[in-house]
Structure formats: structure tokens, C-alpha cells
Amino acid sequence: MAQTETTARGNWNSKLGFVLAAAGSAVGLGNIWRFPTEAASNGGGAFLLVYLVCCFLIGFPVMMAEISIGRRTDKNPVGAFKQLSPNKLYSLIGVWAVICGTMILSFYTVIAGWTFSYIFEELFFGLGLTEWAVWIADTGNGWLNALFSVAFMACTISIIRGGVSGGIERATKTLMPLLLIILIALIGYVIAQPGSSEGLAIYLQPDFSKITPQLIFAAMGQAFFSLSLGMGALITYGSYLDKKENIPQVAAMVTVTDALVAFLAGLLILPAMYLAQANGIAIFQDGAFIAGPDLIFQILPSLFHNISGLLGTLVGITFFVLLSMAALTSTISLLEVPVSYTIDNHGFERKKAALLVGSTILIISLFISFKVSLIGTFDFIFSQVGLPLSGILVCLFLSYVWKIDNAFDELEQGNTGFRNTLMGKTWMVFIMFICPVVILYNLITTFL
Ligand code: PHE
């Protein structure tokens, strides 16, 4: 099919285009470094199990809610909430979502920049330029962070400038299948190495005694972040979706893809950690697994360096190319939200909006480049608290302001009779009661 926009705002050329773009948004650094280490530190298989339950019982219904709000209104989050209620105050839910997305993008760009710089780190190491490799791997170097943040934001802006089908859809259609292939190839390599099997066992054999309330809430938070919920990405992507498409079906496809990639990332990272340990690399610090950026940016490179010859360099470069692709399909969705807002509400032309909004967010990223400790603070405020908070507001708004019957009308556009099915009725109960209560409880425990 030709890569053309058939409406002024743009739209997806195909169902697959939407699914890949939304799955691209969902699959990101959260899946590849956050999920496996959360799993490792929280009982391995037990965490995986609870995480999957959270994705399907909480994340999936909220995703359907966001997509239907977007498709009904054909708007960005701010415009969408404004259109669905006479009380303009509700557009503040959309404003909050746009703020969260903007701030998440500002620090995500810095981490994504590291995925670029580590491609060079692996290359320099492979070429025997050890000093260069050490220099470029220094994530405390503000100027380097700034340089790679600029490079990453430039890539994101250039894709967003291409529009919905010509930019986002085309890029994710190439990047997502490639990402899956690279991931599976890396898993094959790591699992075949002696020493990796202990990691595999911890990951795949759930120890049910490890399921505690704390684990359940950690898994909930992870599901929320990973599915890109609560910052309007799916409202915006939903606004470009054709009326004939079946929302429960496409939401299910996105949820399954995201959960599958998280599962596969666990199959790579946990065995890789134990393989690294078998090679004499420390993977524990103060009794707990080394987590977050340290895992990806320290343990794994040491592991790659232990693989001798060209193969080590190749595996290392491939891994960081994979990570940067996963990050890019997420930053695209993060930038698209404020860009679509600027286009819809302020009448900007897409190319100008992408450049203006992207550059403005980059200024915050440059600031963070020199003060990386801000990443943790921003992550806490805007992802851990901000996203679930807007998730609750989306559920409550849909149920009690827009009204569940109107949402069913939208959902039935591509799925006739949905409100009378068991799935439709279950969805209603989840959106009206279960999701808001469970998410709120999760949020409260974050503060305790
Ligand atoms: N889901 C992305 C990840 O797992 C992060 C993200 C959050 C992207 C919110 C967009 C919106 O890395």
C-alpha cells in the first residue's frame, strides 16, 4: 500500500502499521533493562507470572480505554478530553499526560543517547582502542551525554517530521521485526554458553513463596510503564486509527507483543548475568542484583569483552543497536504526543512542530546530561507516580464523565455487539471499579 496520508492529521495505512507503532512505543528500554532486573531482584519466575497478570488484567483494559478515547475524538490527549465533556477542566487530564510524556522524553533521550555511545564503545574495544572505549563509555561526561542526546533527538525528530504513515509507520515496520530477529539471535548465543543455565532456571521456575504484596505492586508499575500507558501515546496513536478496526483485538496484539518482548528480554538478560558471573564479573552489589543502567552499561559490556575476537565485538555492537532501536520506537511515540498537540491546538505545520517541540525538550535533556542524578527524580515523579495517576483519571473519566455506554458505542465500531460479550462486560467492571482501585492502591504504597 502506498505510504500516503489520507486525512489532514494523518492516519495509519494498515492495522499492522498501528500495531507495530504502538508495540514499538511499548517495547523500549523498560522491557530490555528494567523488566529483567526487576524480575531478577523479585523472585525471577514469580515476578514474570505476576507481571503477565498485571499486563493483561490492568494494562490491557486501560489500553482499550485510551485507544477508544483517541479514536472517538480524532485528537491529541488535551483536545480529546476537552471534546468529550462540556467541563473544560477535564482537559487538565490531557495536559498532565502531555507533561508526563514530555518530561519522560527528556530523560529517556539521555539514556537512549548512551545506547548510541555504547555502539562506539564496543567498536573501539574491538579495534583495540581501549582508551577510546573507556573515554566514550563515561556516562558521567556531560559533554558526551549532550552530544549523544542531540544525535538521538535528531533521529527522533526526523522520523516525526515524516508524518504518521510516512515517518512513524515506515520506521517501526522496519525496526520492530529487526529487533525481534536480533533479540532471538542473541538469546540463542547466550543460552548456548555454559554457565548461563542458572539464570534460565531462576527465570523460568516460579517460586510462589516469593509473591508478596510488594512484588505485586512492583510488577504493576512495570506493566504500566512498559505498555506506555498514562501519557497519551495511545490516545494519540488511537486518533489515527481507522473506524473499521477492532480495538479490543489491536490492543490485545500490542499487549501480547510487549509482554512477549519483555519475556524474551528476560531470556537474554538473566542467563547473560549468570554467564557474566561464571566469567568472574560481579553481578551482585550489597546482596542485591546490580540493576538499571549499571546492568546494561557495565555488566553486559564486560561480558561482551570476555568473548574473544570478532565475535565479541559483533555481539556487543548488535546488542546496543537492538537497544537503540527499541529506544527509538519509544521516543517517537513520546515526541508525537506534544507534536500532535501543537499541530491540533496551535495550528502548526508538522515539520515545524516536530523541530520546535523536539528542540525545546532537548534543552531539558542537555540540562540532565550534565546532572544525570536528575534521571531518578524525574523517573519517580513522571513515570512511577505520573503515569499511574493519569491511568486512574482515564478510567474514572471514561466511566463517569464520558460514560461507559458512549465508550461501548466507539468500541462497537469495529466489533459489533461487543458490549454484550463476556469480554465486554468484564472490561466494563475492570474500567469502572477494579483498575482505578488497584492502581490507586499501588500509588499509595509508593509513598508509604
Ligand atoms: N514503554 C516504554 C518502555 O518500555 C517507555 C515509555 C513509557 C514510552 C511511556 C512511551 C510512554 O521503555
Side-chain angles (χ1 to χ4, degrees):
M1 212 181 278
Q3 303 281 336
T4 48
E5 313 282 344
T6 52
T7 67
R9 288 186 77 244
N11 61 349
W12 309 110
N13 259 322
S14 64
K15 178 162 83 181
L16 183 70
F18 168 81
V19 172
L20 287 180
S25 164
V27 173
L29 298 169
N31 299 57
I32 300 177
W33 62 251
R34 197 169 185 272
F35 171 76
T37 39
E38 285 276 315
S41 332
N42 284 295
F47 184 86
L48 171 66
L49 213 68
V50 179
Y51 168 75
L52 292 177
V53 171
C54 290
C55 274
F56 288 99
L57 293 190
I58 306 293
F60 173 54
V62 174
M63 185 180 291
M64 281 171 56
E66 287 203 17
I67 298 175
S68 34
I69 289 174
R71 191 174 70 174
R72 161 53 60 98
T73 56
D74 268 344
K75 293 265 175 353
N76 66 82
V78 179
F81 288 102
K82 205 184 259 173
Q83 182 173 322
L84 291 178
S85 156
N87 187 341
K88 300 294 169 243
L89 219 62
Y90 288 113
S91 64
L92 287 178
I93 304 175
V95 172
W96 176 241
V98 173
I99 292 175
C100 286
T102 303
M103 298 312 282
I104 291 174
L105 179 57
S106 70
F107 73 79
Y108 205 93
T109 299
V110 179
I111 306 175
W114 294 339
T115 67
F116 264 2
S117 61
Y118 269 74
I119 296 175
F120 292 97
E121 187 268 348
E122 290 299 306
L123 182 70
F124 291 154
F125 192 87
L127 292 172
L129 303 167
T130 320
E131 275 176 23
W132 287 30
V134 171
W135 171 74
I136 207 155
D138 180 8
T139 50
N141 182 334
W143 291 105
L144 271 178
N145 291 344
L147 180 75
F148 283 104
S149 297
V150 172
F152 209 92
M153 184 58 92
C155 289
T156 310
I157 292 175
S158 68
I159 293 171
I160 291 299
R161 279 168 63 95
V164 178
S165 61
I168 306 174
E169 184 169 348
R170 206 163 61 181
T172 45
K173 261 186 170 167
T174 319
L175 293 177
M176 287 302 287
L178 209 60
L179 184 139
L180 265 182
I181 295 169
I182 296 179
L183 191 54
I184 291 169
L186 284 173
I187 293 169
Y189 172 77
V190 169
I191 287 185
Q193 306 305 307
S196 65
S197 54
E198 198 181 334
L200 206 58
I202 288 186
Y203 186 48
L204 295 179
Q205 289 168 5
D207 175 356
F208 292 104
S209 69
K210 294 252 168 76
I211 300 183
T212 58
Q214 187 215 344
L215 177 144
I216 298 172
F217 295 116
M220 242 284 296
Q222 174 62 22
F224 224 83
F225 182 82
S226 186
L227 291 169
S228 301
L229 298 172
M231 48 74 68
L234 289 155
I235 295 180
T236 311
Y237 276 16
S239 74
Y240 308 133
L241 185 66
D242 199 280
K243 290 280 184 204
K244 72 175 190 306
E245 302 301 355
N246 180 340
I247 292 179
Q249 186 198 50
V250 291
M253 287 163 88
V254 175
T255 309
V256 168
T257 310
D258 186 60
L260 180 74
V261 175
F263 172 71
L264 289 176
L267 273 188
L268 170 68
I269 306 291
L270 273 96
M273 285 170 80
Y274 281 85
L275 179 58
Q277 193 183 37
N279 282 314
I281 299 157
I283 61 169
F284 292 97
Q285 200 172 32
D286 306 326
F289 277 103
I290 295 177
D294 275 357
L295 168 73
I296 297 298
F297 298 109
Q298 278 178 25
I299 297 180
L300 291 180
S302 331
L303 172 69
F304 301 144
H305 297 168
N306 266 357
I307 307 170
S308 60
L310 188 64
L311 185 66
T313 311
L314 220 63
V315 174
I317 292 179
T318 311
F319 177 77
F320 286 108
V321 169
L322 164 88
L323 255 190
S324 46
M325 281 175 3
L328 187 59
T329 50
S330 294
T331 53
I332 295 171
S333 73
L334 284 160
L335 182 58
E336 179 62 16
V337 177
V339 166
S340 72
Y341 165 73
T342 317
I343 296 172
D344 292 347
N345 289 35
H346 298 285
F348 274 75
E349 187 259 330
R350 171 170 283 276
K351 286 194 165 67
K352 267 199 200 120
L355 192 65
L356 186 81
V357 177
S359 315
T360 310
I361 297 174
L362 183 62
I363 295 173
I364 313 174
S365 307
L366 294 181
F367 194 70
I368 299 171
S369 293
F370 289 91
K371 205 168 162 35
V372 283
S373 59
L374 281 176
I375 294 177
T377 318
F378 279 25
D379 183 49
F380 180 77
I381 301 172
F382 299 106
S383 344
Q384 293 188 53
V385 178
L387 298 182
L389 180 68
S390 53
I392 298 172
L393 297 174
V394 165
C395 292
L396 296 179
F397 177 87
L398 185 146
S399 307
Y400 307 106
V401 181
W402 184 31
K403 300 282 194 278
I404 207 91
D405 256 345
N406 292 319
F408 271 131
D409 287 345
E410 184 58 36
L411 287 165
E412 292 209 346
Q413 295 261 3
N415 189 334
T416 319
F418 180 69
R419 50 162 54 83
N420 297 319
T421 61
L422 177 65
M423 189 183 166
K425 287 180 185 145
T426 316
W427 176 76
M428 182 177 86
V429 173
F430 270 78
I431 284 297
M432 293 181 81
F433 311 108
I434 299 177
C435 295
V437 171
V438 171
I439 303 168
L440 183 67
Y441 190 69
N442 173 47
L443 208 56
I444 292 168
T445 53
T446 309
F447 286 106
L448 293 181

